[in-house]
Amino acid sequence: MATSMRSFSIAVFCFAIGLSSVGAQAAPPEPTDKPAKPVVSEVKPAPESKAPPSEIVLDDFLVIPKLGVYGRVPMHRDPLEALLATGKWKSPEDGDSIDASVGSSRRWRKGEIDNGALQTDSAIGGYAVTNFDSTVDRIMLLEGAGYANVYVGGQLHAGDTYAAGWLPVPVEIVKGANELLFQISQPTMKAKLVAAENPVAINVAHATLPDIVRGVDREVWVGFAIINADKSAIESATLRVTAGDEITETTIDYIDAASLQQVAVPVKLPAGELADELAIELELVAKDGKRLASTKLSLPVVAANDLQRRTFRSAIDGSVQTYTLIPASDSTASEAGRLVVASETAKPGIKLALHDLGVTAHDFAQQLTASSDWHTVVPTGRSAFGFDWEDWSQQDIDEALDAATAVVDADREKLVAVGHGMGSHGVLQWGSTHPGRLAAAALVNGWPSLWTYGGGRPGSDGATPVEQMLLRPTLASDTLALVENLRSTALLILHSTDDAIVPVDQSRQLLAALAPAHKDFAFEELSGDEHGWSAINDAKQKPGEFFRVEVAESSTSTPFVNFATADLTQSSSYRWVTILQQQQPRELSSVELVVKENPAAISGKTTNVSRVQLDVSMLPEGKPFYVQLDRSRPALFREIPDDKKIELALQKDGRWIPAAKAAGQKSPQRGSGLKAVFANQPLLVYGTGGTSEQQTWAKRKAHYDAETFLYRGNGRLEVIPDTEFGDADFANGDNKDRNVVLYGNADTNSAWPALLSTSDVQVRGDGLVVNARPEQGDDLGVIMVRPRPDSEVAHVAVIGGTGLTGMRLTNRLRYFTAGIDYPDLLVFGPATLIDGTADVRIAGYFDGEWKFDDTTTAWRDLAL
């Protein structure tokens, strides 16, 4: 394929995303007087009525501009959050000041309300605070938009960062004074408190619902939130779904008081011909038979060849996710309930289409056209914003493809992709972490990497050993470092020359990275400044023409492998090679291996690999063969094993030797980093021991994580107290291979002894011990990842601290943000919120056997 390239200069385009860093603003002059703090008073009921108001509109705020330094870094700085963590926070008055992390101090000023919204354009990343008095204790629903998070009475809740307008969060209001502190994320902000009509509600406002496809669907999955605004938990309830004469019942094990949770429900469809809509009834029934909540909804019914929303249940967290399917032209339903195309030629292939930032999968699908050559699969990525097509959005691609290929009769080896904007990055990231899967890809007005478009990867020059450990996870988002994994994928790159949203320089940087090793790509700059999908105009047929000439990569019998990866939990295999463990976890690893025939052998070199698995089915049966890695002494194998796979382990002296499959060790299924724990249907377990403040923190922090994952990724994280985890339903049986996240420490969380009694790290209220070395203090935050001892595949994570201050330090660590992850072990003090990484005491990774290793960890004091 011809390659067209124009001269260009490389530049890094930085943009602000979420709460990334902005320039400092000068503080206004000191006022001559200080009026009292703002108060929003409840409208007092008439004397004859004792009922409190059903709605409280929050419209009297003090606002302070951005104080902290965020960006895509693991340890952000925020002096206001430091006050909250250390218990020094006091509600401000007009004119009070706080020293900012960068630049001069900032002052609280009276907020401006316009058309019912707080005007916050000059304070994005800053805070807004309001106070009001309540006549009663009660749980209300906080509804609002334009804030990243909110502290209600000092307790943290997720916010509506993108102003989507669908996150009603149950919050506890106390009798007397109440304070709400919002972190601002949008140019305008709204918030109000609403009394729930019923203590328990089925919220279908943001439900995940499918279309029903005639002749195909017999059962579908639906997902929606249950809001428990009661002071008691819901236990062992039944969710009953009625669709015509079919009734489906699902057990809801536990929904905590004052919380919301997505539930996943299968719906069995009635027999016979369906109308254009199917009405279904939902009813939540307590274990004593009392009806807690009910509602109705309807599902569209569409034809087999129509554009269709489809749902599936995710293995990541048990949630219901959706994708849009554009069936190949002339698709019909088979007797087996699959979509087929009558053709005398080849089956249609699969075209993967990834949407831009803020665009829904369904809206993007409506801009695409059906083709006789392809069934087009448009994943959601878990939301219109999701995770920048990384992390759980990447896994959503895999799950959507698996769900779609179970429905359509297609050639699974014939896979191509198209991406627009952020979706182009998703195509490149997915293609480079799944090398050999994509035959071809077309990229329109895209950006290649978080670190070209997101402000640049944090530099390692001059970094301390601790900082180097914290930087390692960023490598997995450095798509250009993995670009050689795309060698077998033909690429068509189209970009508007004057695109103001994604500058054409982004595609030019991709070309510069491709040129040395990639020989099959084409690039065209399109006239105009339009960023949208329609920007390709007359060129819009080119992806279709491009795809028609491409074929899938050859099978796994290909005799060579050239493969690189940084995160084994995301990408570990290519062709017949699987990297099982790294010498230095989360650093870049690579293999260059080749199969030889006479004598039968596999040889080559590795970088940062300590354990590898090889599929040797391509070698002659019944004959000996050898493997030589990194010019070490060859390892001889007498014959091919029955499962066709062998493992080799690197010794300290540099030799590679045959190794038995090791139980309990690190593996791609149970690898390094905190993010890996938020998969495999994780169970969040909060401690009920310790002081009342520690108990409240643990419960609220677990729910904050669940709320955030629900909002960011349409996720379903079950939250239970440690007292429930002791129950056999949660600790054993089907749950024993689930990941577990413990909130608190060994003194506050009663699940600790069963899961972490043999850990090299023990955390208590007055300090911790790491491999027999103590670290004293009741103000240390702790992140830890360990293997679950009663499982071969599950993790245990700790999010907590030695005391209340340490616990609070973990409140807003951004492990649900693309480009940020945390190591297997992280211990840090309260000064991190002021000085960043300077107060990180230890950071690092456990070795391949999950043991403490001085060579993969860094202590702050040992580096001084």
Side-chain angles (χ1 to χ4, degrees):
M1 179 176 295
T3 301
S4 172
M5 300 180 64
R6 302 183 184 184
S7 62
F8 59 90
S9 60
I10 298 178
V12 176
F13 175 73
C14 302
F15 78 113
I17 183 167
L19 297 175
S20 55
S21 181
V22 295
Q25 299 180 19
E30 178 78 29
T32 55
D33 56 355
K34 294 184 177 181
K37 66 184 68 173
V39 174
V40 179
S41 299
E42 293 186 358
V43 178
K44 294 184 178 180
E48 65 273 11
S49 172
K50 301 283 187 185
S54 60
E55 183 176 290
I56 305 171
V57 177
L58 304 175
D59 58 3
D60 193 355
F61 292 93
L62 291 178
V63 176
I64 194 168
K66 185 175 180 179
L67 299 160
V69 177
Y70 298 91
R72 294 187 190 273
V73 293
M75 308 306 296
H76 66 277
R77 289 181 284 162
D78 188 323
L80 189 150
E81 188 181 350
L83 295 174
L84 291 163
T86 56
K88 298 176 182 178
W89 165 257
K90 293 182 179 179
S91 201
E93 296 184 353
D94 194 353
D96 286 350
S97 66
I98 299 178
D99 290 336
S101 295
V102 176
S104 60
S105 63
R106 311 284 196 266
R107 295 194 183 279
W108 293 94
R109 293 300 189 192
K110 179 80 171 178
E112 177 188 351
I113 301 293
D114 187 15
N115 292 324
L118 179 65
Q119 303 304 296
T120 51
D121 185 58
S122 62
I124 295 175
Y127 291 88
V129 66
T130 190
N131 296 267
F132 70 93
D133 292 326
S134 174
T135 57
V136 293
D137 289 334
R138 56 176 171 160
I139 297 172
M140 301 186 76
L141 301 181
L142 176 60
E143 299 178 358
Y147 51 93
N149 49 68
V150 55
Y151 291 87
V152 180
Q155 304 306 317
L156 188 59
H157 292 266
D160 185 357
T161 302
Y162 300 113
W166 63 265
L167 187 70
V169 178
V171 299
E172 296 188 39
I173 301 302
V174 299
K175 183 178 180 179
N178 289 266
E179 177 195 78
L180 281 79
L181 175 66
F182 300 83
Q183 188 176 29
I184 301 162
S185 64
Q186 295 291 330
T188 61
M189 192 191 90
K190 288 184 177 182
K192 65 180 179 179
L193 292 162
V194 179
E197 293 184 8
N198 298 298
V200 179
I202 299 172
N203 180 15
V204 295
H206 190 67
T208 306
L209 305 176
D211 297 332
I212 297 172
V213 183
R214 287 192 175 94
V216 174
D217 294 324
R218 306 287 188 270
E219 182 180 87
V220 294
W221 283 93
V222 299
F224 45 84
I226 291 179
I227 299 173
N228 184 11
D230 200 357
K231 295 183 179 181
S232 300
I234 300 170
E235 299 184 64
S236 301
T238 299
L239 199 294
R240 182 176 298 130
V241 182
T242 303
D245 56 358
E246 292 286 353
I247 297 177
T248 309
E249 293 189 342
T250 301
T251 300
I252 308 299
D253 291 320
Y254 192 92
I255 299 179
D256 217 350
S259 72
L260 75 165
Q261 178 182 294
Q262 195 209 71
V263 295
V265 181
V267 179
K268 188 179 296 184
L269 304 180
E273 187 67 22
L274 298 177
D276 291 340
E277 286 189 346
L278 175 66
I280 64 175
E281 297 181 7
L282 309 174
E283 185 180 24
L284 184 65
V285 181
K287 59 184 177 182
D288 62 1
K290 176 184 176 182
R291 187 169 72 172
L292 299 174
S294 64
T295 192
K296 298 179 180 179
L297 54 82
S298 61
L299 303 178
V301 180
V302 301
N305 62 348
D306 286 344
L307 182 146
Q308 51 202 249
R309 291 183 177 92
R310 305 202 60 85
T311 56
F312 59 91
R313 193 175 190 195
S314 171
I316 297 171
D317 56 356
S319 63
V320 176
Q321 300 297 326
T322 183
Y323 66 95
T324 298
L325 177 67
I326 307 173
S329 303
D330 303 319
S331 291
T332 58
S334 69
E335 292 184 4
R338 301 189 74 199
L339 293 172
V340 299
V341 176
S343 174
E344 297 178 358
T345 58
K347 292 180 182 179
I350 299 287
K351 181 193 294 182
L352 178 67
L354 303 187
H355 62 76
D356 197 5
L357 180 72
V359 178
T360 68
H362 198 68
D363 286 347
F364 186 42
Q366 291 177 317
Q367 300 180 65
L368 307 175
T369 56
S371 165
S372 60
D373 296 322
W374 312 98
H375 294 290
T376 302
V377 178
V378 191
T380 298
R382 291 191 151 236
S383 82
F385 296 92
F387 307 98
D388 295 289
W389 286 116
E390 299 204 6
D391 304 319
W392 301 276
S393 292
Q394 284 275 304
Q395 296 171 58
D396 185 70
I397 296 173
D398 296 323
E399 293 195 320
L401 286 172
D402 288 343
T405 52
V407 173
V408 299
D409 187 26
D411 182 353
R412 295 187 61 162
E413 299 301 315
K414 187 179 177 184
L415 178 65
V416 299
V418 61
H420 173 228
M422 184 182 75
S424 292
H425 166 67
V427 169
L428 290 169
Q429 185 76 358
W430 190 85
S432 62
T433 56
H434 297 74
R437 290 285 304 277
L438 285 177
L443 314 173
V444 178
N445 288 347
W447 46 273
S449 171
L450 284 178
W451 309 122
T452 63
Y453 190 56
R457 179 174 174 263
S460 58
D461 292 344
T464 68
V466 163
E467 290 169 339
Q468 290 172 1
M469 290 293 175
L470 293 172
L471 284 173
R472 287 186 183 184
T474 64
L475 285 167
S477 297
D478 189 0
T479 315
L480 295 185
L482 305 174
V483 76
E484 287 195 8
N485 290 351
L486 294 166
R487 283 186 179 190
S488 62
T489 301
L491 297 173
L492 172 64
I493 304 163
L494 305 173
H495 209 121
S496 299
T497 301
D498 298 314
D499 186 342
I501 296 177
V502 181
V504 69
D505 178 69
Q506 290 296 308
S507 287
R508 291 171 178 171
Q509 290 188 63
L510 173 61
L511 294 173
L514 289 171
H518 202 294
K519 306 303 179 185
D520 195 6
F521 65 92
F523 172 54
E524 181 175 346
E525 289 190 20
L526 309 172
S527 61
D529 59 0
E530 188 174 353
H531 172 73
W533 178 254
S534 59
I536 58 176
N537 293 323
D538 294 337
K540 65 184 177 182
Q541 297 302 321
K542 290 190 176 183
E545 297 167 0
F546 181 75
F547 291 149
R548 273 194 283 273
V549 300
E550 297 301 332
V551 295
E553 186 191 50
S554 58
S555 70
T556 54
S557 62
T558 304
F560 61 88
V561 167
N562 188 339
F563 170 53
T565 182
D567 183 357
L568 299 186
T569 66
Q570 294 285 336
S571 176
S572 62
S573 297
Y574 183 24
R575 293 175 177 162
W576 38 270
V577 176
T578 299
I579 301 174
L580 296 175
Q581 292 177 13
Q582 300 170 296
Q583 294 170 280
Q584 290 294 329
R586 302 301 293 270
E587 290 278 23
L588 195 66
S589 298
S590 64
V591 293
E592 295 181 35
L593 303 180
V594 63
V595 177
K596 299 178 180 179
E597 294 184 357
N598 191 19
I602 297 174
S603 64
K605 65 179 182 178
T606 72
T607 302
N608 192 37
V609 178
S610 61
R611 195 176 187 97
V612 67
Q613 182 186 83
L614 306 176
D615 183 332
V616 294
S617 56
M618 81 291 286
L619 297 175
E621 290 278 0
K623 294 184 178 181
F625 63 94
Y626 69 88
V627 178
Q628 184 180 33
L629 302 179
D630 304 323
R631 297 185 178 181
S632 67
R633 182 177 177 179
L636 179 65
F637 293 83
R638 297 294 180 184
E639 60 183 355
I640 296 175
D642 292 341
D643 65 358
K644 313 297 184 185
K645 295 176 181 178
I646 62 171
E647 290 187 15
L648 294 99
L650 179 65
Q651 305 302 292
K652 290 183 178 180
D653 62 5
R655 292 181 301 124
W656 283 92
I657 65 171
K661 294 177 176 60
Q665 294 200 5
K666 278 190 176 180
S667 68
Q669 292 73 39
R670 183 161 66 176
S672 298
L674 181 62
K675 275 185 173 174
V677 185
F678 287 95
N680 196 28
Q681 299 195 44
L683 191 61
L684 311 190
V685 182
Y686 62 85
T688 59
T691 66
S692 60
E693 289 180 308
Q694 290 172 339
Q695 295 169 17
T696 300
W697 171 85
K699 178 177 180 177
R700 185 82 299 279
K701 170 58 175 167
H703 281 293
Y704 172 74
D705 283 350
E707 292 165 3
T708 302
F709 202 59
L710 170 64
Y711 181 81
R712 292 291 305 273
N714 194 27
R716 176 180 178 268
L717 298 180
E718 289 185 86
V719 179
I720 62 171
D722 53 5
T723 51
E724 290 291 326
F725 183 76
D727 188 287
D729 290 340
F730 286 113
N732 302 299
D734 293 339
N735 288 305
K736 74 178 185 65
D737 285 331
R738 293 176 66 176
N739 292 343
V740 178
V741 183
L742 300 184
Y743 293 84
N745 60 42
D747 292 335
T748 66
N749 196 307
S750 64
W752 190 288
L755 298 173
L756 292 170
S757 61
T758 61
S759 170
D760 287 346
V761 181
Q762 293 296 319
V763 185
R764 296 197 175 276
D766 58 354
L768 54 94
V769 176
V770 179
N771 194 36
R773 171 181 163 160
E775 185 79 7
Q776 300 298 327
D778 62 359
D779 57 355
L780 301 176
V782 178
I783 296 292
M784 183 168 65
V785 179
R786 299 291 295 162
R788 182 169 174 172
D790 55 346
S791 170
E792 290 297 322
V793 296
H795 290 91
V796 178
V798 173
I799 298 174
T802 56
L804 183 61
T805 294
M807 294 172 183
R808 287 170 173 169
L809 293 178
T810 68
N811 268 351
R812 281 156 48 191
L813 294 181
R814 290 173 301 144
Y815 33 84
F816 296 128
T817 298
I820 299 176
D821 197 1
Y822 297 88
D824 294 344
L825 178 61
L826 177 66
V827 179
F828 54 104
T832 53
L833 287 170
I834 302 298
D835 302 323
T837 57
D839 200 21
V840 175
R841 310 300 175 84
I842 183 172
Y845 298 85
F846 299 108
D847 69 10
E849 296 180 348
W850 288 101
K851 295 179 180 178
F852 181 83
D853 187 342
D854 284 327
T855 68
T856 58
T857 52
W859 287 92
R860 178 187 65 173
D861 59 346
L862 295 181
L864 295 178

